Amino acid sequence: MVGAGHPEVTRVLFVGNSFTYFHNLPELVVALARPDRAVSVAMFAEPGAVLGETWASGAPSNALREGGHYVVLQEQSTLGGDLVVDGIPRPQDPAKFHASVRTAVADIVSANATPALYMTWARQDDPGAQQALTDAYASIGKELGVAVSPVGIAWQTALTERPDLVLHDEDASHPAPAGSYLAACVLTATLFGLDPRGRVHRVTGQAIDSEGVWGEPDSTLIDLPEADAAYLQDVAWRTAC
């Protein structure tokens, strides 16, 4: 406890790129965790950032010295590479990604924090790539004993069951609001064990534009129809359990 009647605040550091900062995903997690868990967040995420390069900068490790409970690691959407097949970016061999995760996890554990992997989703024009992404995250998670937040699997389920829902942004890669909301629901479930069903479907907070520039502090980040939010909450919980 931090003072009489005040619950301890859980600190979460997010390390990723635009798949993390679109719609201010960390703040969505904060909102979804209330009132069961008080959460504070920090984020290192820039457009197109590759996990190994971000970690090698030393900035995330320095932030951990200030204390942290969880660190969420998200790799660039094609596992850090520039492999293009028939004009479509494809996941590359996960060796570099795995090496980056090993380095980051060792630092995180040394700082007495808990790492978690944020599994991303396939591009809209290459749904078959999800298996490569799933395998890449699941295998390194198993090797290191690190929890994997199966966001990409939840997306795959939702797109199959409810193709009417728009999870991808217009660029067919980044998340639309519903996609970020689904990601936040899965992360809330896997990080804290909290059932996202019945939680908020409208969240306000500080906006972040597509280039990662911070905007107005009281913007609407997510405002979904209640029925759609309920469906996404259910998919997240089914996937995370």
Side-chain angles (χ1 to χ4, degrees):
M1 301 294 286
V2 181
H6 294 283
E8 180 181 2
V9 176
T10 300
R11 296 181 297 275
V12 184
L13 174 64
F14 287 82
V15 182
N17 58 29
S18 51
F19 278 34
T20 290
Y21 70 66
F22 255 54
H23 312 294
N24 201 340
L25 173 65
E27 283 300 323
L28 303 184
V29 173
V30 171
L32 285 164
R34 298 188 189 109
D36 301 271
R37 183 78 71 109
V39 179
S40 68
V41 291
M43 174 171 54
F44 291 95
E46 296 183 357
V50 174
L51 178 61
E53 295 173 2
T54 302
W55 202 266
S57 73
S61 295
N62 290 337
L64 277 176
R65 296 194 183 102
E66 300 175 8
H69 295 105
Y70 296 94
V71 182
V72 177
L73 304 173
Q74 177 246 314
E75 182 55 283
Q76 187 265 354
S77 62
T78 57
L79 302 177
D82 298 316
L83 177 64
V84 177
V85 178
D86 296 329
I88 299 174
R90 295 278 300 171
Q92 69 165 11
D93 185 287
K96 290 183 179 179
F97 165 51
H98 287 176
S100 300
V101 172
R102 292 186 189 104
T103 298
V105 165
D107 291 344
I108 293 164
V109 172
S110 295
N112 296 315
T114 300
L117 304 180
Y118 164 13
M119 178 198 294
T120 56
W121 52 87
R123 292 177 56 91
Q124 190 172 16
D125 50 7
D126 189 24
Q130 186 59 55
Q131 191 61 56
L133 295 170
T134 297
D135 292 345
Y137 279 87
S139 59
I140 193 63
K142 181 178 180 180
E143 175 190 321
L144 301 177
V146 172
V148 177
S149 189
V151 173
I153 296 174
W155 269 57
Q156 188 175 44
T157 299
L159 290 169
T160 299
E161 295 180 348
R162 287 282 308 274
D164 58 300
L165 288 176
V166 178
L167 300 186
H168 291 90
D169 191 49
E170 292 180 355
D171 65 4
S173 176
H174 288 95
S180 287
Y181 183 81
L182 178 54
C185 287
V186 177
L187 284 162
T188 300
T190 52
L191 288 175
F192 313 127
L194 296 176
D195 186 344
R197 292 176 296 180
R199 296 182 185 267
V200 294
H201 57 91
R202 182 179 187 275
V203 180
T204 59
Q206 188 164 14
I208 307 175
D209 72 14
S210 61
E211 299 302 317
V213 177
W214 293 86
E216 296 298 322
D218 294 316
S219 300
T220 298
L221 302 176
I222 297 290
D223 189 5
L224 299 179
E226 189 170 358
D228 289 347
Y231 170 74
L232 295 171
Q233 293 163 1
D234 181 67
V235 170
W237 188 239
R238 281 190 276 140
T239 306
C241 287

